[in-house]
Amino acid sequence: MVMTDPNHEGRFGDFGGRFVPETLVPACEELEIAFREAWSDSNFVDEFHRILIDYGGRPSPLTECYRLSENLGVRVLLKREDLNHTGSHKINNVIGQALLARRMGKSRLVAETGAGQHGVATATAAALLDMECKVYMGEVDVERQELNVFRMQLLGAEVETVLSGSRTLKDAVNEALRDWVATVEHTHYCLGSVMGPHPYPWMVRTFHHVIGDEARAQCLKLMNKLPDVVVACVGGGSNAAGIFSGFSDSDTRLVGVEPAGGAAIGRGVPGVVHGMISYLMQDEVGQVQEAESISAGLDYPGVGPEHAHLAAIGRAEYPAVTDQEVIEAFQLLSKTEGIIPALESAHALAWVVREAEALQGQVVLLNLSGRGDKDVDQMMDVLGSGNDQ
Amino acid sequence: MERYLRDRRESGAKLLVAYITGGYEGWEAAVESAAAAGADAIEIGIPFSDPVMDGPIIQKASQEALEAGATPASVLAVVPRLDTGVPHAVMTYYNLAHHPGHERFAATLAKSAIDAAILPDLPLVESGPWREAASRAGVETIMLAAPTTPDERLPELCEASRGFVYAVGLLGVTGERATLASTATEIAKRCKEVTDKPVLTGVGIGSPEQAVEASTVADGVIIGSAVVRRLLDGDGANGVGDLIASYRAALDAG
């Protein structure tokens, strides 16, 4: 197995750790102990899976893309996380964390969000489990994801606009951490990706493991073999970690696709921010750089430490695609399969399209991590309404 | 720094440390003015892009300093020329030490008239390699003890800390508060029970009265946001000097 538990210092190889203010160290330790106990308690695991099935809509289907496959010469299978309740894979993690928070006696959730998907999912879990919820969202993202802001409010969450720094996901994480430093006694920080201090990267991947497990079984049922390639988009990297974890012990090629403007692994060097040591886009003295991507959910200068490790040992590769390639892939899937993908997920497809020639005859499993409803407004601006390309 | 602060404590003084964001307009004069007004040591902030332990005031000063072009090198280059007569610490975030490498960053501090470093996002459990490198370069690492730090860890944390022990006065980020949190005296008391190093309370002290109250238990206080707010308000070095003088007088009067 390549994707194993982190070591006792919370590291995957050289990456990970617990670089948080002393105030939060006990909370991270308490969380780690609570998670270990809960995950070995069949009552907890059963309740988690029951909610994912009855409420979240799992298992998500595996969709064969006939027209797209013919178009590309590559057999493309989609893992349909877009069909989950709240429209993305994010629900797996938040149900897990909200149940854990309740078990720990915490009554309030705070979360950061970029595109709004994790914020909506957290607000949803908070409503379901009757918890207080506050979501931090950068001002830039509030503007481009207005609908998700209102969605969170409908669900009973308070949305706080973050005006500091680059006013995107990175700064929303900072603000959520500052909140948690002040409220740690009754609040759980429901982190949205496989990042942050130990045990988050490991815990969040574990809650998303269900994606990889289902996809592996579905592939075996459909083809009696595993796919040649598994591809997923990577911002922090939670959906990629989830699906990779079902295949990391096989020969399947693992590809995590970063946005060109936020290519932490592609362009970053090891650095420390948000509680972890991982690849990080930074300037020549170590100031964290602002990511710039068409998709708010991938607008993050760092990456989860396990991905940094998988890249360092050569088990997974992390190419980048441009915004333009993403826009084209977004339209392609919409028109050939009748599926409007999230801009984040369109990154994975953009890589398949670019590499189609090299992938001829292969089977590619693509994690369609979210649906594109939230991006329709933004794409209307990008493409112009009545666009007929 | 530790020897200097111990001597000051033994002379009967309550200790006063002033924090100023390096690179913010007028910071050099403010540092000198704070020292002249009675600060026992100066904490110089090296602005970082993601200051998670800081509240709005210091965030704003840091961001403006960065926008004005402040870098670790540009801030540190000025320090040896400052006329303070007291020890200097830097307060910054760990990535700025990690990026150039521990040895190089520690050496840069040492040759820039910096006696000690505070890295609030480097907790005890992750701090070993940095503390070793800093110590070899002759730079003391000041550790933070939080209200949530368990009793089992406190002796080890205080033992590891050099310069002084930074008792974090409340659950939260830097910034002035209307009243002194009860945690401020509790954590200082817990530290004092396990160490004879100077214990200074910071985070959340916003008035001379609160400083006096905190110092009934602690050996002194660190004043940050209240100082930086004077700079943000345009009160300049004189405003900072007047402020520090008011804290000094209150602490001396007990």
Side-chain angles (χ1 to χ4, degrees):
Chain A
M1 263 311 262
V2 177
M3 294 176 75
T4 54
D5 292 356
N7 72 12
H8 68 284
E9 292 176 321
R11 279 177 167 71
F12 301 94
D14 295 332
F15 303 97
R18 194 171 268 165
F19 296 87
V20 288
E22 199 65 51
T23 307
L24 294 178
V25 171
C28 291
E29 289 170 346
E30 183 195 359
L31 182 62
E32 180 187 349
I33 291 166
F35 172 62
R36 283 184 195 278
E37 282 173 2
W39 203 244
S40 59
D41 175 352
S42 60
N43 290 329
F44 179 88
V45 177
D46 288 349
E47 185 176 18
F48 171 65
H49 285 293
R50 186 188 59 73
I51 294 177
L52 289 189
I53 292 166
D54 298 345
Y55 182 76
R58 300 209 74 89
S60 67
L62 189 75
T63 298
E64 175 108 38
C65 294
Y66 295 104
R67 288 191 60 211
L68 179 68
S69 299
E70 194 182 322
N71 181 313
L72 296 175
V74 181
R75 186 174 177 189
V76 178
L77 307 173
L78 300 180
K79 179 60 177 163
R80 298 294 304 279
E81 292 298 300
D82 61 316
L83 294 179
N84 292 335
H85 182 44
T86 74
S88 81
H89 70 292
K90 296 287 188 191
I91 192 78
N92 305 327
N93 171 44
V94 299
I95 293 295
Q97 287 199 45
L99 285 173
L100 186 60
R102 190 180 66 180
R103 186 183 164 104
M104 294 171 72
K106 311 262 179 175
S107 58
R108 176 173 178 265
L109 299 177
V110 290
E112 82 295 341
T113 197
Q117 292 303 89
H118 174 59
V120 168
T122 306
T124 300
L128 180 68
L129 297 182
D130 189 21
M131 299 173 90
E132 197 187 326
C133 179
K134 184 163 185 176
V135 179
Y136 292 92
M137 189 170 186
E139 188 185 32
V140 172
D141 295 333
V142 166
E143 280 163 16
R144 60 182 169 179
Q145 298 289 350
E146 210 182 351
L147 210 56
N148 268 344
V149 174
F150 187 57
R151 219 169 252 144
M152 288 182 264
Q153 289 163 343
L154 278 176
L155 292 161
E158 183 189 346
V159 180
E160 172 115 2
T161 303
V162 176
L163 301 170
S164 60
S166 59
R167 295 170 292 129
T168 62
L169 180 54
K170 147 180 115 66
D171 310 283
V173 175
N174 291 339
E175 214 52 59
L177 279 169
R178 290 182 187 115
D179 182 308
W180 199 32
V181 166
T183 59
V184 60
E185 288 169 316
H186 66 282
T187 293
H188 172 71
Y189 180 14
C190 187
L191 228 166
S193 193
V194 287
M195 43 165 283
H198 178 56
Y200 282 101
W202 168 54
M203 177 176 74
V204 174
R205 183 249 283 168
T206 304
F207 288 140
H208 283 307
H209 202 305
V210 61
I211 306 172
D213 280 345
E214 283 177 13
R216 184 180 180 119
Q218 288 165 323
C219 285
L220 288 173
K221 189 173 174 208
L222 178 71
M223 309 182 289
N224 208 22
K225 64 167 189 172
L226 298 181
D228 299 299
V229 180
V230 172
V231 61
C233 64
V234 172
S238 66
N239 88 83
I243 199 157
F244 286 1
S245 64
F247 299 88
S248 70
D249 62 344
S250 72
D251 293 334
T252 297
R253 184 178 168 196
L254 305 178
V255 180
V257 183
E258 295 187 305
I265 297 180
R267 282 169 47 204
V269 293
V272 177
V273 79
H274 297 157
M276 62 183 174
I277 178 163
S278 188
Y279 287 112
L280 179 65
M281 290 171 57
Q282 42 194 317
D283 72 7
E284 64 284 357
V285 304
Q287 306 290 0
V288 181
Q289 286 184 319
E290 297 172 12
E292 264 183 52
S293 158
I294 191 170
S295 86
L298 303 184
D299 230 349
Y300 185 66
V303 68
E306 193 171 23
H307 287 295
H309 175 59
L310 292 174
I313 64 171
R315 178 61 190 95
E317 56 200 289
Y318 295 87
V321 295
T322 65
D323 284 354
Q324 188 54 41
E325 289 173 310
V326 171
I327 292 165
E328 286 162 16
F330 178 90
Q331 295 171 277
L332 179 67
L333 193 68
S334 303
K335 286 181 180 163
T336 57
E337 297 294 334
I339 297 170
I340 300 176
L343 279 170
E344 290 76 17
S345 321
H347 283 67
L349 182 60
W351 178 82
V352 177
V353 170
R354 190 172 74 198
E355 297 297 318
E357 202 164 314
L359 295 171
Q360 289 297 302
Q362 296 189 23
V363 181
V364 173
L365 170 64
L366 187 156
N367 200 21
L368 196 73
S369 56
R371 61 173 174 242
D373 305 33
K374 68 181 175 55
D375 300 313
V376 168
D377 252 6
Q378 189 188 347
M379 289 305 284
M380 206 157 81
D381 289 342
V382 171
L383 299 170
S385 53
N387 175 286
D388 198 30
Q389 296 177 22
Chain B
M1 172 165 303
E2 187 169 326
R3 196 174 328 137
Y4 184 89
L5 294 181
R6 277 178 185 270
D7 287 350
R8 283 283 294 149
R9 179 177 64 180
E10 259 132 56
S11 75
K14 286 294 180 182
L15 305 172
L16 176 61
V17 173
Y19 166 94
I20 287 158
T21 303
Y24 187 81
E25 195 187 345
W27 74 277
E28 303 96 329
V31 165
E32 292 181 337
S33 174
D40 297 302
I42 307 288
E43 206 184 293
I44 296 165
I46 301 181
F48 180 57
S49 52
D50 295 82
V52 291
M53 219 12 230
D54 285 309
I57 298 278
I58 295 177
Q59 276 180 53
K60 186 165 191 283
S62 294
Q63 198 164 335
E64 289 183 20
L66 285 173
E67 283 162 11
T71 65
S74 74
V75 171
L76 290 172
V78 177
V79 181
R81 298 201 299 270
L82 297 177
D83 179 18
T84 67
V86 297
H88 307 134
V90 292
M91 149 49 191
T92 192
Y93 287 84
Y94 176 56
N95 198 47
L96 295 186
H98 177 270
H99 188 81
H102 294 162
E103 272 73 24
R104 207 172 128 203
F105 190 68
T108 306
L109 295 184
K111 73 170 192 222
S112 306
I114 299 295
D115 305 284
I118 304 172
L119 303 170
D121 60 342
L122 188 67
L124 181 65
V125 58
E126 299 285 1
S127 67
W130 158 256
R131 282 190 287 115
E132 230 168 83
S135 174
R136 275 197 303 273
V139 173
E140 299 173 313
T141 301
I142 296 161
M143 302 300 292
L144 281 73
T148 51
T149 302
D151 285 335
E152 308 86 78
R153 189 149 56 222
L154 208 51
E156 192 194 343
L157 191 147
C158 291
E159 176 58 32
S161 194
R162 295 279 183 277
F164 60 85
V165 175
Y166 194 132
V168 177
L170 49 74
L171 290 178
V173 293
T174 59
E176 302 151 90
R177 308 292 197 279
T179 56
L180 188 71
S182 60
T183 46
T185 42
E186 286 161 20
I187 182 62
K189 182 165 177 287
R190 288 173 57 213
C191 291
K192 292 290 289 178
E193 280 165 6
V194 298
T195 186
D196 73 336
K197 289 172 187 166
V199 173
L200 276 72
T201 304
V203 183
I205 296 175
S207 71
E209 294 70 31
Q210 291 175 14
V212 169
E213 191 185 340
S215 299
T216 55
V217 180
D219 296 311
V221 294
I222 304 144
I223 308 299
S225 296
V227 177
V228 174
R229 189 159 56 79
R230 294 301 184 284
L231 291 178
L232 293 183
D233 288 349
D235 297 341
N238 288 339
V240 168
D242 292 346
L243 181 78
I244 292 301
S246 71
Y247 278 86
R248 179 79 271 164
L251 288 172
D252 289 349

